[in-house]
Amino acid sequence: MAAVTVVSVPTMFADLLGPISGADILSWDMTEAPERADEIELVVVPPFGARWLRRLEELPALRAVVTATAGYEHVQPHLPPGVVLANAVGVHDTATAELGLGLLIAAQRELPDMVRAQDRGEWLAPRVRRSLADSRALVLGYGGVGRALAARLRACEVTVTAVASRARAGDDHVERVHPIDALPALLPDHDVLAVTLPLTEDTRGLVDTAVLAALPEDALVLNLGRGAVVDTDALLAELTAGRLRAALDVTDPEPLPQGHPLWSAPGVLVSHHTGGSSRAFPSRGAAYVRRQLERYLATGSVDHVVASGPRRALAEEA
Amino acid sequence: MAAVTVVSVPTMFADLLGPISGADILSWDMTEAPERADEIELVVVPPFGARWLRRLEELPALRAVVTATAGYEHVQPHLPPGVVLANAVGVHDTATAELGLGLLIAAQRELPDMVRAQDRGEWLAPRVRRSLADSRALVLGYGGVGRALAARLRACEVTVTAVASRARAGDDHVERVHPIDALPALLPDHDVLAVTLPLTEDTRGLVDTAVLAALPEDALVLNLGRGAVVDTDALLAELTAGRLRAALDVTDPEPLPQGHPLWSAPGVLVSHHTGGSSRAFPSRGAAYVRRQLERYLATGSVDHVVASGPRRALAEEA
């Protein structure tokens, strides 16, 4: 008879998981001390709230920690010796791409002005507005969010060009993925620049004055990645001049303080970093957690290991 | 040598058409008297502005009138004897479905509240919002707009059910099209009701108290068809009770007057009947006009004839 493995999972996923053979699944959001602290081998940490992460250090049987988010930097300092850390891949793609598509349509069709007119009780006169259809979108960063956005854009009759760090073959949505070196030559032929890049030393400030200047008049810049990938001052200059428009799920700084010029620059729509936070997340998060638990039960390890705790030798874990 | 046929086309399309062999294409928006009034055989009427339509009665050689819109009722009273009238099919599908998709995402992800927070300069706290992905949408009316919306919804990971006047086979987007009789049984299993029906004696008030009551709590009603297909009082009762939400491109009455309760009902987003009015329209309208002109040059008639002028016998036209 196989021993039962004790694992903990946040409530939002535990309710969706159902039973997994060979595992006792504790529903634990880390806010209180856990039941069976001596037995827990794997913890899935909650997606919101970092201040209880030190409880990881109180679990003597712990071998693996799994985040349900792409971000894991906040967990790493609390990782006990020899414990591995895995992050989540793909669970936010659907929610983030959906918001990105909504922002693009809202910006092109001027939904913000319609909301303001509705609040005034004023019916707007007929007028031909911009369209997302027939536009040419450059998706900068072609991971999960970039691909999910490309799929949606194609269904909306948009021509899609993908650019990533390195050239590679295409997929169902694009013929090929262009390398970052091709960006300057590609920009003038695109009406939408959709940024889905993570923040790294290579991407910080990548969308700078020169990149923005290469876009044609009236182009729309969407940022779904990280705020600091776009140079805020360079963007503000283009917005203030009325040459470009922007739809920003993420900003630099974030949160935007009261009185920041991005709030009131012309042609900008801000969505308060809500890209990943929709009801599409819990079910996809739970499916990811299930795959990781099944992997752990079968092999004693997890996929997508991004870090491990200090000091204890790898030999001890085997 | 074939005689040259003189036709007139609104400026917004004429600029996109290019030359057509065998036709002299006059750019005419009907606001002024036309050149070559005695020779014009076919008029494409402008999509906006109905008050110059009486000029059709001043064209002795006129044989066909073509609208670039689905609506043609405003042209019919000005149709001279024996002149046929054709309306446009499909030219607004892309623009209307795009706005519909944008309204659905905006409503689910609460973009209106984000716009209002932006105007206050206030960053919203993180919160899990509704999702369009994983929802179940019932598309009521499955013509061009319905199909274009279904294609977009499928790319957004939405389950789509189509309902039309009669049962028929499905397409790339839905397995089958259900008949209108099936509506009451289908409604409780759907989170989104997307109305794309035209206004006829059969559809007026079709979405009434009973239809709305059959939708589950928190469902979203989208109207892209005609305002009077939805019973405004019945919808207002559901909105005021907080049981349903709505995204309305069209309303009854339209335009909504100042102070109308729909402006300020909870959970409603109004887009001022802008569904068809985007830059996706001129190119699709021009392509449609080209097909009709080529058809007229080849056969002496046009497609999609919906009416003809009074009295003159059909024999005279042959």
Side-chain angles (χ1 to χ4, degrees):
Chain A
M1 202 185 83
V4 166
T5 301
V6 180
V7 301
S8 84
V9 169
T11 318
M12 73 184 298
F13 304 127
D15 296 346
L16 298 165
L17 265 183
I20 294 181
S21 174
D24 275 2
I25 302 174
L26 310 178
S27 183
W28 184 39
D29 289 326
M30 303 188 73
T31 50
E32 311 284 327
E35 300 167 42
R36 300 171 72 175
D38 289 351
E39 297 174 82
I40 294 175
E41 290 184 33
L42 184 152
V43 169
V44 179
V45 296
F48 304 115
R51 60 183 157 139
W52 297 288
L53 289 169
R54 59 187 152 64
R55 292 198 197 275
L56 293 173
E57 296 158 35
E58 301 160 14
L59 307 173
L62 189 67
R63 295 188 55 191
V65 174
V66 172
T67 68
T69 54
Y72 59 84
E73 301 81 355
H74 58 299
V75 183
Q76 206 164 353
H78 300 282
L79 214 54
V83 172
V84 296
L85 173 64
N87 73 337
V89 173
V91 296
H92 290 289
D93 298 352
T94 292
T96 306
E98 171 175 302
L99 185 75
L101 183 68
L103 290 172
L104 291 176
I105 299 176
Q108 297 298 79
R109 304 298 291 265
E110 303 178 17
L111 287 189
D113 287 350
M114 295 177 192
V115 170
R116 294 174 181 121
Q118 178 174 344
D119 287 351
R120 295 192 304 269
E122 177 193 335
W123 189 267
L124 295 174
R127 188 160 63 75
V128 175
R129 291 180 171 78
R130 293 178 195 85
S131 167
L132 180 60
D134 304 342
S135 68
R136 303 158 300 171
L138 192 154
V139 177
L140 180 57
Y142 203 63
V145 171
R147 282 192 299 275
L149 182 62
R152 286 157 176 77
L153 291 172
R154 290 292 302 273
C156 289
E157 302 178 51
V158 174
T159 304
V160 180
T161 304
V163 174
S165 52
R166 279 177 297 276
R168 53 185 201 260
D171 56 18
D172 288 350
H173 318 306
V174 295
E175 266 182 48
R176 51 177 293 213
V177 180
H178 296 266
I180 188 73
D181 298 348
L183 186 64
L186 291 168
L187 286 165
D189 294 324
H190 291 85
D191 314 294
V192 172
L193 172 63
V195 179
T196 71
L197 290 167
L199 186 62
T200 67
E201 282 317 298
D202 289 335
T203 66
R204 183 180 296 274
L206 189 149
V207 178
D208 58 9
T209 299
V211 165
L212 295 172
L215 284 166
E217 170 93 25
D218 200 48
L220 175 61
V221 177
L222 170 69
N223 194 355
L224 292 177
R226 284 294 177 266
V229 174
V230 176
D231 180 324
T232 296
D233 289 339
L235 181 62
L236 270 170
E238 292 277 14
L239 296 170
T240 307
R243 209 189 72 83
L244 299 180
R245 297 170 298 120
L248 306 174
D249 188 47
V250 290
T251 57
D252 176 32
E254 190 174 303
L256 279 183
Q258 279 274 353
H260 191 284
L262 265 185
W263 285 127
S264 54
V268 68
L269 171 56
V270 175
S271 62
H272 310 251
H273 203 153
T274 59
S277 301
S278 88
R279 289 186 194 159
F281 169 58
S283 60
R284 286 166 183 75
Y288 172 78
V289 166
R290 168 174 281 275
R291 287 196 301 277
Q292 287 284 38
L293 295 184
E294 289 172 345
R295 168 90 175 158
Y296 183 79
L297 291 167
T299 70
S301 190
V302 288
D303 285 327
H304 309 298
V305 170
V306 285
S308 62
R311 283 192 301 275
R312 204 166 81 186
L314 284 168
E316 275 186 66
E317 290 180 47
Chain B
M1 204 186 86
V4 166
T5 302
V6 180
V7 301
S8 84
V9 169
T11 317
M12 74 184 294
F13 303 127
D15 295 346
L16 297 166
L17 266 184
I20 294 181
S21 175
D24 274 2
I25 302 173
L26 309 179
S27 184
W28 185 39
D29 288 328
M30 302 188 75
T31 50
E32 311 284 329
E35 299 167 44
R36 302 171 73 176
D38 290 350
E39 297 174 83
I40 294 175
E41 292 185 31
L42 184 151
V43 169
V44 179
V45 297
F48 304 116
R51 60 185 157 138
W52 298 288
L53 288 170
R54 59 185 153 64
R55 292 200 197 274
L56 292 174
E57 295 157 37
E58 300 159 16
L59 307 174
L62 189 66
R63 295 187 58 191
V65 175
V66 172
T67 68
T69 54
Y72 58 85
E73 300 83 355
H74 57 301
V75 184
Q76 207 164 353
H78 301 283
L79 214 55
V83 172
V84 296
L85 174 64
N87 74 337
V89 173
V91 295
H92 289 291
D93 298 352
T94 292
T96 306
E98 171 176 303
L99 185 76
L101 183 68
L103 290 173
L104 290 177
I105 299 176
Q108 297 297 79
R109 304 297 290 265
E110 302 178 17
L111 285 188
D113 287 349
M114 295 176 194
V115 170
R116 293 173 182 123
Q118 179 174 344
D119 288 349
R120 294 191 305 271
E122 177 192 335
W123 189 267
L124 295 173
R127 189 160 63 74
V128 175
R129 293 180 169 78
R130 294 176 193 86
S131 168
L132 180 59
D134 303 341
S135 69
R136 302 157 301 171
L138 192 154
V139 177
L140 180 58
Y142 202 63
V145 172
R147 281 192 300 274
L149 182 62
R152 286 156 175 77
L153 291 173
R154 289 292 301 275
C156 289
E157 302 177 51
V158 173
T159 304
V160 180
T161 304
V163 174
S165 52
R166 280 178 297 277
R168 54 184 200 262
D171 56 17
D172 288 349
H173 318 306
V174 295
E175 266 182 48
R176 52 178 295 212
V177 179
H178 296 266
I180 189 73
D181 299 348
L183 186 64
L186 290 168
L187 287 166
D189 293 325
H190 291 84
D191 315 295
V192 172
L193 172 63
V195 179
T196 71
L197 291 167
L199 186 62
T200 68
E201 282 318 299
D202 288 335
T203 65
R204 184 179 294 275
L206 189 149
V207 178
D208 58 8
T209 300
V211 164
L212 295 172
L215 284 166
E217 170 94 25
D218 200 47
L220 175 62
V221 177
L222 171 69
N223 194 355
L224 292 177
R226 284 295 177 265
V229 174
V230 176
D231 180 325
T232 296
D233 289 340
L235 181 63
L236 270 170
E238 291 277 15
L239 295 171
T240 306
R243 209 189 74 82
L244 299 180
R245 296 169 299 120
L248 306 174
D249 189 47
V250 290
T251 56
D252 176 33
E254 191 174 300
L256 279 183
Q258 278 274 353
H260 192 284
L262 264 185
W263 284 127
S264 54
V268 68
L269 172 57
V270 175
S271 61
H272 311 253
H273 202 151
T274 58
S277 301
S278 89
R279 290 187 194 158
F281 169 59
S283 60
R284 286 164 184 76
Y288 172 77
V289 166
R290 169 173 279 274
R291 287 196 301 276
Q292 286 285 38
L293 295 184
E294 288 173 346
R295 167 93 175 158
Y296 183 77
L297 291 167
T299 69
S301 190
V302 288
D303 286 326
H304 308 300
V305 171
V306 286
S308 61
R311 283 191 303 275
R312 204 167 81 188
L314 282 171
E316 274 185 65
E317 289 182 50

